[in-house]
Amino acid sequence: MKITKIDLLYSAPVEDGWRPSFCRIYTDNGLYGDGEVALSYGAVRHAAFAEMRDLAPMLIGMNPLEHEVIWEKLYRQSFFGLNAGPVIFGAISAFDMALWDIKGKYYNAPLHELLGGKQRRQVRAYASQLQMGWGVGRHHAGNPEDYAANT
């Protein structure tokens, strides 16, 4: 199996300038996987999308099941890879998500099985963007009372 194409989507800006970037990796056997860069705010959102655009051609022709080979190539053979930082790692992580999506579909197995098995019966929820509120319209939280109102 080989990677044949990568589509990148730089979404239209929404409230407060939030603008996520997505990728879809296609293979020659019809499978595809989706990923997202978790850098969607401020000026870094432009850099994250640009980094994905720069890295995407490096994946064409590679086997999408070889995560470590692909990760090492993106890290070691890209201009900014060895300098590291959140932008390059954000772009690599978007592709890695899409590759795991493909792998789960290929083996017809949930990701927790591919990563070694379920470790717990329950997981506590974590609201990483609670300071932004939920639903339509964001209500920035600046103190404990604001956070409580956003739950």
Side-chain angles (χ1 to χ4, degrees), residues 96-113:
D96 200 47
M97 271 183 246
L99 295 172
W100 279 109
D101 192 14
I102 291 168
K103 190 175 268 190
K105 292 172 182 174
Y106 181 81
Y107 289 110
N108 194 30
L111 185 56
H112 73 270
E113 287 181 9

Side-chain angles (χ1 to χ4, degrees), residues 63-100:
N63 180 345
L65 302 178
E66 296 180 344
H67 288 256
E68 292 299 321
V69 172
I70 291 172
W71 200 98
E72 286 293 320
K73 180 177 184 175
L74 294 175
Y75 179 66
R76 297 191 183 283
Q77 295 180 20
S78 63
F79 183 77
F80 290 107
L82 290 175
N83 291 320
V87 174
I88 186 93
F89 288 143
I92 292 172
S93 72
F95 294 133
D96 200 47
M97 271 183 246
L99 295 172
W100 279 109

Side-chain angles (χ1 to χ4, degrees), residues 21-57:
S21 300
F22 303 95
C23 68
R24 178 169 281 176
I25 298 176
Y26 297 89
T27 66
D28 59 353
N29 72 346
L31 292 177
Y32 65 86
D34 297 324
E36 175 199 3
V37 176
L39 300 168
S40 302
Y41 299 96
V44 74
R45 67 183 186 223
H46 305 301
F49 183 77
E51 192 63 46
M52 283 179 32
R53 192 176 50 228
D54 287 348
L55 294 176

